[in-house]
Amino acid sequence: MRIISVILLLSAALASPARAMDSGAAEELERLDPQTRLEQRCDLEAMERIHKDPARLVPDELVAYAFEEPKIKGDKIRSAGAAFRSKGEWYHLSYTCSTLPDHMTILTFQYAIGQMVPHNEWAHHYLVP
């Protein structure tokens, strides 16, 4: 339940015009265990970066494990099988993210937006409309 509330709070933070993490979202992240905090903070960074991308997508949901489980080592996460939703469509995403040991401050972040996910694959990968 805590993860769901964090995701909802992070989604609300992204809905603001500045698209930046607010203090409420930061407080919720700090309450999470370190691994979950790393995952959620990097997911949030991915959504912020995609929003600023010239592709002009508007991410409102991200699933880091849609096509492949993320790989975590220390303060770094690599999610080669992620997906995000924009304007009702899902897109493949891969990213690599490293943080300070607090898992709140992003040190490096690289991402690549892939092709649109066909609608007939959504249910198999737990992607909701």
Side-chain angles (χ1 to χ4, degrees):
M1 185 63 159
R2 177 179 285 285
I3 299 299
I4 292 170
S5 66
V6 171
I7 291 169
L8 292 174
L9 183 60
L10 294 177
S11 295
L14 286 170
S16 68
R19 305 295 277 193
M21 183 171 60
D22 66 18
S23 62
E27 288 175 12
E28 282 296 317
L29 284 172
E30 289 172 350
R31 291 185 186 125
L32 299 173
D33 66 87
Q35 181 175 326
T36 303
R37 183 181 318 125
L38 173 66
E39 292 175 30
Q40 294 294 317
R41 178 62 185 98
C42 290
D43 286 355
L44 177 60
E45 185 70 15
M47 292 178 71
E48 289 174 352
R49 299 275 181 117
I50 293 165
H51 183 266
K52 294 175 186 174
D53 192 276
R56 305 189 67 76
L57 297 166
V58 184
D60 65 357
E61 183 93 22
L62 188 144
V63 180
Y65 52 84
F67 294 90
E68 180 181 325
E69 286 293 322
K71 299 193 178 21
I72 297 173
K73 184 174 182 181
D75 302 326
K76 185 175 184 176
I77 183 170
R78 180 169 177 355
S79 184
F84 71 93
R85 186 177 61 199
S86 174
K87 301 176 189 174
E89 296 293 341
W90 284 93
Y91 296 83
H92 289 275
L93 174 70
S94 63
Y95 69 83
T96 302
C97 174
S98 65
T99 67
L100 287 177
D102 68 358
H103 297 166
M104 293 294 290
T105 304
I106 303 294
L107 294 176
T108 63
F109 190 88
Q110 298 88 35
Y111 71 103
I113 298 171
Q115 297 295 315
M116 191 180 298
V117 178
H119 289 213
N120 63 352
E121 294 181 17
W122 289 12
H124 181 71
H125 296 284
Y126 307 102
L127 305 174
V128 296

